[in-house]
Amino acid sequence: MAEVTLKDVARASGCSVATVSRVLAGTRPVGAETARTVREAAARLGYRPNQVARALRSRSTGTVGLVLPQITNPFFPSLVRELEHALHAEGRAVLLADCDDDPLTEAARIGALLDRQVDALLLIPADEHHSRDAVLEAAARVPLVLLDRGCGPGVADSVAVDNAAGTALVLEHLAATGRRRPCFIGAAGTASTAVERRVAYETGAAAFGPQAPGRTELGDFSVAWGRAAVDRLWPARPDAVVCANDLIAVGALQRLRQLGADVPGEVAVTGFDDIPLAGLADPALTTVRQPVPELAAEATRLLTHRPAGSASRRTVRLTPELVVRASSAEGSR
Amino acid sequence: MAEVTLKDVARASGCSVATVSRVLAGTRPVGAETARTVREAAARLGYRPNQVARALRSRSTGTVGLVLPQITNPFFPSLVRELEHALHAEGRAVLLADCDDDPLTEAARIGALLDRQVDALLLIPADEHHSRDAVLEAAARVPLVLLDRGCGPGVADSVAVDNAAGTALVLEHLAATGRRRPCFIGAAGTASTAVERRVAYETGAAAFGPQAPGRTELGDFSVAWGRAAVDRLWPARPDAVVCANDLIAVGALQRLRQLGADVPGEVAVTGFDDIPLAGLADPALTTVRQPVPELAAEATRLLTHRPAGSASRRTVRLTPELVVRASSAEGSR
DNA sequence: TTGAAAGCGCTAACAC
DNA sequence: GTGTTAGCGCTTTCAA
């Protein structure tokens, strides 16, 4: 069954392909009567425009590339979902690339997407430093928005949560509920999320008093690290364990329970991100919710509304929200 | 900066565009010396083939559509990851569509992908019945492989885990470790995974003795349902709760703990899928691991190697593996 | 407002 | 082996 083309519709409706194109793409005014006839013929024949041909000619594929470090990172699926919906709502399709947390793979994927003439790129960089060159190069070719993580200053437009504000919310909550000896389990390295949350903790912890900043342990964003860090921190008997993300916090909760600690009675535990797992942990995890739908909306907005010829980069910071759950409850103390 | 085209490379290397195309696409034999010159010129100019133009002419986009019910379902991210890697390894890109568990959205997404001339579709149907028409229609246009879930018999090639075998593994393990009064928390509805696991439980539970099949509660594949079902089943004091997936099992674990039940001492709990959450539950969840990399490999294999002109559908069933963890341990009884 | 014609960048016939 | 030529299906000049 041969595909129905514009030519077929033109023949069936008795006008030229140009007119049919104009009716269907809505690019230029067309006589009302002609338009009706054309539309009717198109519908009757079951015509579907070939987007590849359209893309070649109009130099726009209506496709955006979405590049992420690891789709299996539990924070990303909901973000992908929101982005997919936002983009499809504008008639754009999403080419997905998963980089396996590897900047080399990332560079290759970006290249593959550009070869496919994506109109734009949405990118969560795998690495603060090593992603930089590929991102800069890509940003020179198409609109590009960095999501969730940065990649050096001035590289591209970016949207992320305000990690400092989120960490501050946690610290205020802990102070207000009587915690006095916090500690921090963070991630080493230069990823912007790691750095910002770490610095914000150090800054905010000073308010607990001169002795308070307490200990800070740095590893990676994993459950295993959360478990391991607790072994190092628990001997000092902190009354709050602030974790740089929810995975770490879940690990910390597990290990604290194994060690017989009473959470939240004896010690509060907090996370960051509000991944689905946070609500399922036992006790349920107090955490900072990233405004995922807003992140997605803002990212697509930045892609779509680009100030013509402006070289300056836009950085959008969204305010997170504290979600208080059982792991930091004060009633039971 | 204008894009470098085939014409530019032809000019720079002193031969025709056709030759350049042949060298770069490797479609036909070309003189060794010419090939070298061309490749060198291409490299020097930084030529990147425009895949859109190539697709229009060759009628192959090198793109496959991946349609899923909900990327936020924790079983899917790892599957998506494997599929993405398998396809990119063959130089194919992935157009992602998330259907929000809605067959209407699914049909629309499938249409959008076909308009973009995907070479093939990988599809996890949202609904056993309501996805059928759209799938049939799509399968008539491009190679299509159903993944994880079925969609009525003979609709398309399909790859899925052997749900009956997996459920049998669980029941054998429970019987072997001395459990005698199992019950089942499953999902209602006609989704193939729901039906197959349910039927396999009913079949296998008979081996526990005439009184044994015990109670079966049907709801959906969610944590909340797992919690709710436990309230109905626990009064009868089963010594094993077999759950149709890990989310249900996690809910069951939570509620059992709240009710003061001793897992695994008093009652074992098992899941299905082995999502990341399973290993993190407390106690860690005994479950059936789906062979995700094999599912992905098999699916891409079915897409690529299609018996010419064969109208018959291929159904591949992969054997799952039992992962025994603390939630069904017998030592503590 | 509409039509004719010229391509978008590439590959596939068909010559040589 | 290699070049010439004709499109893939569409959008977009340019005239009318």
Side-chain angles (χ1 to χ4, degrees):
Chain A
M1 74 177 182
E3 285 307 294
V4 180
T5 77
L6 209 55
K7 216 149 111 185
D8 299 322
V9 179
R11 196 176 308 125
S13 61
C15 57
S16 75
V17 289
T19 304
V20 177
S21 167
R22 296 197 263 253
V23 171
L24 268 25
T27 41
R28 289 167 144 287
V30 172
E33 178 61 16
T34 324
R36 222 186 40 72
T37 319
V38 168
R39 256 187 269 278
E40 202 228 327
R44 183 157 39 80
L45 298 178
Y47 171 71
R48 316 273 340 222
N50 179 326
Q51 300 294 345
V52 171
R54 172 176 286 189
L56 179 60
R57 184 61 240 238
S58 65
R59 323 193 127 274
S60 158
T61 52
T63 296
V64 333
L66 175 55
V67 184
L68 5 122
Q70 281 263 46
I71 181 75
T72 50
N73 176 327
F75 173 62
F76 295 143
S78 61
L79 187 55
V80 170
R81 175 179 182 281
E82 295 297 331
L83 290 169
E84 197 270 1
H85 285 263
L87 291 167
H88 266 278
E90 309 181 337
R92 288 136 77 99
V94 176
L95 273 171
L96 181 78
D98 176 301
C99 304
D100 233 354
D101 265 330
D102 173 25
L104 263 57
T105 307
E106 183 178 59
R109 293 287 199 272
I110 291 174
L113 296 179
L114 290 176
D115 289 351
R116 288 194 149 76
Q117 312 295 121
V118 291
D119 289 346
L121 281 173
L122 246 26
L123 193 144
I124 303 173
D127 184 279
E128 183 88 7
H129 299 308
H130 298 100
S131 295
R132 192 152 190 278
D133 290 351
V135 169
L136 269 172
E137 211 174 310
R141 309 244 281 111
V142 297
L144 185 153
V145 173
L146 254 26
L147 221 58
D148 186 50
R149 310 179 183 175
C151 193
V155 172
D157 287 348
S158 76
V159 184
V161 77
D162 187 334
N163 290 298
T167 307
L169 285 174
V170 167
L171 291 173
E172 283 160 24
H173 163 67
L174 292 173
T177 52
R179 310 286 172 172
R180 290 293 172 262
R181 301 181 312 283
C183 66
F184 182 71
I185 310 181
T190 57
S192 56
T193 41
V195 174
E196 291 173 11
R197 293 173 194 179
R198 191 161 83 212
V199 170
Y201 174 79
E202 282 157 7
T203 309
F208 284 80
Q211 90 299 347
R215 288 185 57 192
T216 289
E217 291 286 343
L218 302 181
D220 60 28
F221 281 124
S222 73
V223 176
W225 164 238
R227 283 193 284 248
V230 161
D231 285 330
R232 309 205 205 170
L233 290 166
W234 186 231
R237 291 298 182 277
D239 66 358
V241 179
V242 177
C243 303
N245 81 348
D246 289 343
L247 291 176
I248 293 175
V250 165
L253 278 179
Q254 286 186 346
R255 190 71 188 122
L256 283 168
R257 179 186 346 233
Q258 282 173 4
L259 295 173
D262 171 18
V263 179
E266 205 174 347
V267 55
V269 174
T270 66
F272 203 115
D273 287 347
D274 197 27
I275 61 177
L277 179 54
L280 297 175
D282 184 26
L285 190 63
T286 291
T287 188
V288 177
R289 175 176 299 154
Q290 297 223 34
V292 173
E294 288 79 5
L295 279 169
E298 205 55 33
T300 53
R301 189 186 65 80
L302 286 185
L303 277 191
T304 314
H305 306 294
R306 320 210 93 222
S310 160
S312 83
R313 304 308 186 182
R314 295 168 292 172
T315 299
V316 176
R317 287 291 181 161
L318 297 175
T319 307
E321 175 195 356
L322 183 70
V323 181
V324 178
R325 298 203 181 93
S327 73
S328 71
E330 73 183 317
S332 57
R333 298 181 85 197
Chain B
M1 71 177 186
E3 285 308 294
V4 180
T5 76
L6 208 54
K7 218 148 112 186
D8 299 321
V9 179
R11 197 175 308 126
S13 62
C15 57
S16 76
V17 289
T19 303
V20 176
S21 167
R22 295 196 266 253
V23 171
L24 269 26
T27 41
R28 285 166 149 288
V30 173
E33 178 60 15
T34 324
R36 221 186 39 71
T37 321
V38 167
R39 255 188 271 277
E40 202 228 326
R44 184 158 37 82
L45 298 178
Y47 171 71
R48 316 272 342 220
N50 180 326
Q51 301 293 345
V52 170
R54 171 176 286 189
L56 178 59
R57 183 63 242 233
S58 67
R59 319 189 134 282
S60 159
T61 52
T63 296
V64 334
L66 175 56
V67 183
L68 2 124
Q70 280 264 46
I71 181 74
T72 50
N73 176 326
F75 173 62
F76 295 143
S78 61
L79 188 54
V80 170
R81 175 179 180 283
E82 295 297 331
L83 290 168
E84 197 270 359
H85 285 260
L87 291 167
H88 266 276
E90 310 181 338
R92 289 137 77 99
V94 177
L95 273 171
L96 181 78
D98 177 301
C99 304
D100 233 354
D101 265 331
D102 173 24
L104 263 57
T105 306
E106 183 178 59
R109 292 288 198 270
I110 291 173
L113 295 180
L114 290 176
D115 289 351
R116 289 194 149 77
Q117 312 295 120
V118 292
D119 289 345
L121 281 173
L122 245 27
L123 194 144
I124 304 172
D127 185 278
E128 183 89 8
H129 298 309
H130 298 99
S131 295
R132 195 155 189 277
D133 290 351
V135 169
L136 269 172
E137 212 174 308
R141 309 245 279 112
V142 296
L144 185 153
V145 173
L146 256 24
L147 220 59
D148 186 53
R149 309 179 183 174
C151 192
V155 171
D157 287 349
S158 76
V159 183
V161 77
D162 187 336
N163 289 298
T167 307
L169 285 175
V170 166
L171 291 173
E172 284 159 24
H173 163 68
L174 293 174
T177 52
R179 308 287 173 172
R180 290 293 171 263
R181 302 181 311 282
C183 67
F184 181 72
I185 310 181
T190 57
S192 57
T193 41
V195 173
E196 292 172 11
R197 295 172 192 179
R198 189 161 84 213
V199 170
Y201 173 80
E202 282 157 7
T203 309
F208 284 79
Q211 91 296 348
R215 288 181 60 191
T216 289
E217 291 286 342
L218 302 181
D220 59 31
F221 281 123
S222 73
V223 176
W225 164 239
R227 282 191 285 248
V230 161
D231 284 331
R232 309 204 205 171
L233 290 167
W234 187 232
R237 289 298 181 277
D239 66 359
V241 179
V242 177
C243 303
N245 81 347
D246 289 344
L247 290 177
I248 293 175
V250 166
L253 277 179
Q254 285 187 345
R255 189 71 187 124
L256 283 169
R257 177 185 346 234
Q258 283 173 3
L259 295 172
D262 171 18
V263 179
E266 205 174 349
V267 55
V269 175
T270 67
F272 203 115
D273 288 345
D274 196 26
I275 61 176
L277 180 53
L280 298 176
D282 185 27
L285 190 63
T286 291
T287 188
V288 177
R289 177 176 298 154
Q290 298 222 33
V292 172
E294 289 79 3
L295 279 169
E298 205 53 34
T300 52
R301 190 184 66 78
L302 287 185
L303 277 191
T304 313
H305 306 292
R306 320 209 91 222
S310 160
S312 84
R313 303 310 185 181
R314 296 168 291 172
T315 299
V316 176
R317 285 293 181 159
L318 297 175
T319 308
E321 174 195 356
L322 184 71
V323 181
V324 178
R325 298 202 183 93
S327 74
S328 71
E330 77 184 312
S332 57
R333 298 181 81 196

